[in-house]
């Protein structure tokens, strides 16, 4: 399962850790993905959604 938002498609970004002595190692920034019961076409369904989509109201939670 990919660590990707099913609404906006946000994925991990890659970059480098840079130490004080300028040693460089690879790292990744993961999006904050949550499993949410959301309404899709009137029926509740489990989605993997990033918190920015939840906060922006792009997902209607099933209560």
């Amino acid at each position: 399962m990919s660590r990707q938002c099913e609404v906006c498609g946000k994925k991990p970004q890659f970059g480098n850790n840079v130490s004080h002595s300028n040693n460089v190692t690879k790292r990744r920034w993961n999006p904050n993905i949550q499993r949410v019961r959301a309404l899709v076409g009137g029926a509740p369904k489990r989605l993997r959604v990033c918190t920015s989509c939840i906060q922006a109201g792009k997902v209607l939670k099933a209560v």
Side-chain angles (χ1 to χ4, degrees), residues 13 26 31 36 40 45 57 60 63:
Q13 291 186 322
K26 295 296 285 183
V36 175
V40 178
K45 183 181 173 187
L60 187 63
V63 181

Side-chain angles (χ1 to χ4, degrees), residues 39-50:
L39 289 175
V40 178
K45 183 181 173 187
R46 284 207 183 273
L47 297 176
R48 295 168 62 90
V49 183
C50 67

Side-chain angles (χ1 to χ4, degrees), residues 2-59:
S2 64
R3 193 168 177 86
Q4 181 175 359
C5 177
E6 294 181 15
V7 175
C8 66
K10 189 180 283 187
K11 295 188 259 190
Q13 291 186 322
F14 295 89
N16 292 315
N17 279 326
V18 181
S19 69
H20 184 67
S21 58
N22 213 30
N23 292 333
V24 176
T25 56
K26 295 296 285 183
R27 66 157 293 178
R28 60 190 261 172
W29 285 267
N30 289 322
N32 191 357
I33 301 289
Q34 305 292 323
R35 292 203 42 131
V36 175
R37 283 183 70 233
L39 289 175
V40 178
K45 183 181 173 187
R46 284 207 183 273
L47 297 176
R48 295 168 62 90
V49 183
C50 67
T51 53
S52 54
C53 286
I54 296 170
Q55 187 176 9
K58 295 181 182 178
V59 174

